Amino acid sequence: MKGHGQGLHYARTVILAHGGTINIESEEGKGTAILVNLPRRANVKNKYKH
């Protein structure tokens, strides 16, 4: 069953917003590897902090 391809877009958006990276390697017949790196502390400013 195929999806709409939005899942990786949303994942990438969240990962990049937190200062991380995502790398995907795929080889037909062997599979796909997804590597996500996130910093210990996110580089996100809290827009709700007063």
Side-chain angles (χ1 to χ4, degrees), residues 7-29:
L8 284 174
H9 169 73
Y10 293 133
R12 181 178 181 270
T13 300
V14 171
I15 292 164
L16 293 178
H18 285 82
T21 61
I22 181 171
N23 293 303
I24 301 171
E25 295 179 12
S26 183
E27 190 171 333
E28 190 172 343

Side-chain angles (χ1 to χ4, degrees), residues 30-48:
K30 288 194 172 184
T32 301
I34 301 173
L35 179 63
V36 175
N37 288 302
L38 293 171
R40 288 182 184 255
R41 290 185 178 232
N43 297 324
V44 178
K45 292 183 181 177
N46 186 346
K47 66 180 179 181
Y48 301 107

